[in-house]
Amino acid sequence: MSPQMKLVAITLDCPDPPALAAFYQEATGFEPHPKSDADFAGLNREDGLFIGFQRVDDYRAPDWPGQKVPQQLHLCFDVVDLDEAEARLLELGAGKPDHQPHDAAKTRVLTDPAGHPFCICRA
C-alpha cells in the first residue's frame, strides 16, 4: 500500500503574481502569505492549503477549450449560489468563455485574470 499524500500547495504560472493573488484572495478569502513579492505571491487557508502564483516571463494564457496553449490544470470551487458567485467573480476580473461544457445549473467554467480556466460548482 502506498503512503497517503495530503495536498498542501498548488502553484499557478502567471505574468503578475500579486495581481492574481489579489483576485483569488477576494474570491476565496484566503490570507496573503507574508513573504509574497512581485515574483512569487501566495495565499494560505487556515487548514494549511497554499495557493502560489509564480511570475513567468513571456507567459501565454491557456487557450481553453482549444489546445494551442493547453490548460495544463484547472481548479474547481464549490459555491452555494452559482449566479451570485459568477457575478461576483466577473466583477473581480474573471472571464466567462462562450464554450460551457457542463449543465449551467450545476457547473460553470470561468477564467481567472491570467486566463487559467476554473470551475464553480453548485455545492
Side-chain angles (χ1 to χ4, degrees):
M1 177 183 210
S2 63
Q4 290 188 345
M5 299 187 319
K6 176 183 176 185
L7 179 64
V8 295
I10 299 165
T11 300
L12 298 162
D13 291 348
C14 64
D16 185 346
L20 197 56
F23 169 80
Y24 279 104
Q25 179 186 2
E26 287 293 323
T28 64
F30 287 22
E31 292 295 320
H33 190 278
K35 293 185 179 179
S36 294
D37 61 30
D39 290 319
F40 191 90
L43 300 173
N44 295 311
R45 190 170 67 184
E46 61 186 42
D47 68 356
L49 180 62
F50 176 84
I51 301 176
F53 309 94
Q54 65 185 5
R55 180 178 303 284
V56 172
D57 293 331
D58 301 321
Y59 172 78
R60 294 185 311 148
D63 177 32
W64 188 88
Q67 293 298 305
K68 187 179 268 187
V69 179
Q71 67 174 322
Q72 299 176 18
L73 73 102
H74 74 266
L75 304 171
C76 294
F77 299 94
D78 283 345
V79 298
V80 175
D81 184 311
L82 275 171
D83 293 331
E84 182 179 300
E86 177 182 316
R88 181 169 175 266
L89 290 162
L90 292 172
E91 285 177 14
L92 292 173
K96 184 176 180 183
D98 291 334
H99 179 69
Q100 294 291 314
H102 307 289
D103 177 355
K106 296 180 182 177
T107 303
R108 302 199 187 140
V109 177
L110 300 176
T111 55
D112 69 24
H116 302 106
F118 66 94
C119 295
I120 53 173
C121 308
R122 190 176 70 214

